[in-house]
Amino acid sequence: MSGQASDKPVLRIRIDFPDRPSLGPGKIRLLEEIEAAGSIAAAARGMGMSYRRAWLLVDELNSMFAGPLVATQLGGARGGGAVVTPAGHQVIAHYRRVETEAGRATADLLAGLDQAEPE
Amino acid sequence: MSGQASDKPVLRIRIDFPDRPSLGPGKIRLLEEIEAAGSIAAAARGMGMSYRRAWLLVDELNSMFAGPLVATQLGGARGGGAVVTPAGHQVIAHYRRVETEAGRATADLLAGLDQAEPE
């Protein structure tokens, strides 16, 4: 779940809430994969995650904010499809913005840490 | 491993390197617990972690930077004691500084995310 490769240290973030489960790179990537794949099962496969675990994470995500982040369609023509809701898009964008701002604010510090490499 | 309690969302960080294992809250807390407890076994107990897992994490930490972050003393009067080296103190301080800067840079954004609470 470390995202794209980089030749420099990359800051990953997790947001801990006082009253809810955490929001970290795994859940955000799952949302993005659901968006791309159109179903929870396909997203889980793409991430090498069990369907059950993906479903539990979606259930958790859907209880964390004012409305659900993923809407599922049981049966029907597309059988078992899932879409990311507007609230879900907002959460993804918000998280990625926090990540970008945090990375920007600490880029120089991170470069300094990287220089302490093994000999 | 979520650290102190808070009534607001808290940013946790993990640093992914291109060529080494990641540095996240678990490893940093382990270093801090070793510093406080004076041994890997006591630190592991304090974190509810197996001694084996703690030892593997220390081994990983000791290979990540120019020098070891934890020095162990096998046997002797204090039998099995461990201390955090100056390099280890630098890594802890550096990590906490990255965390602080990242948190400062994103405090307003985080507050905004928290407002999207379940109804």
Side-chain angles (χ1 to χ4, degrees):
Chain A
M1 307 212 190
S2 60
Q4 75 283 6
S6 167
D7 61 353
K8 290 188 290 192
V10 175
L11 191 76
R12 304 291 172 193
I13 63 164
R14 191 186 76 202
I15 301 166
D16 284 356
F17 296 96
D19 53 354
R20 278 168 279 175
S22 296
L23 189 63
K27 281 181 187 156
I28 293 295
R29 194 181 148 207
L30 178 60
L31 288 176
E32 291 172 338
E33 295 275 337
I34 290 169
E35 172 76 358
S39 88
I40 296 174
R45 272 197 303 276
M47 293 176 72
M49 179 186 284
S50 73
Y51 176 70
R52 177 179 158 74
R53 170 141 178 83
W55 194 91
L56 288 172
L57 288 175
V58 166
D59 198 45
E60 210 169 84
L61 283 163
N62 278 354
S63 70
M64 286 177 65
F65 298 96
L69 308 192
V70 174
T72 52
Q73 303 157 303
L74 296 178
R78 291 174 55 210
V83 294
V84 175
T85 65
H89 289 129
Q90 279 179 21
V91 168
I92 294 172
H94 206 122
Y95 179 94
R96 290 300 184 199
R97 197 168 151 214
V98 173
E99 189 170 59
T100 299
E101 293 296 326
R104 198 191 318 255
T106 59
D108 291 346
L109 279 171
L110 286 179
L113 187 60
D114 192 39
Q115 275 149 23
E117 289 196 14
E119 276 154 3
Chain B
M1 304 212 194
S2 59
Q4 75 284 7
S6 168
D7 61 351
K8 289 189 290 190
V10 176
L11 191 76
R12 303 290 172 194
I13 63 165
R14 191 186 75 202
I15 301 166
D16 283 356
F17 296 96
D19 53 355
R20 277 168 279 173
S22 296
L23 188 63
K27 281 180 186 156
I28 292 295
R29 193 179 150 209
L30 178 60
L31 288 175
E32 291 172 338
E33 295 275 338
I34 289 170
E35 171 77 359
S39 89
I40 297 174
R45 272 197 302 277
M47 295 176 71
M49 179 187 283
S50 73
Y51 176 71
R52 178 180 158 75
R53 170 141 179 82
W55 194 91
L56 288 173
L57 288 175
V58 168
D59 198 46
E60 210 169 84
L61 283 162
N62 277 353
S63 69
M64 286 176 65
F65 298 97
L69 307 192
V70 174
T72 53
Q73 303 157 304
L74 295 178
R78 292 174 53 210
V83 295
V84 175
T85 66
H89 289 129
Q90 278 178 20
V91 168
I92 294 171
H94 206 122
Y95 180 93
R96 291 300 184 200
R97 195 167 154 217
V98 173
E99 189 170 58
T100 300
E101 293 296 327
R104 198 191 318 254
T106 59
D108 291 347
L109 279 170
L110 286 179
L113 187 60
D114 193 39
Q115 274 148 25
E117 288 196 14
E119 278 156 2

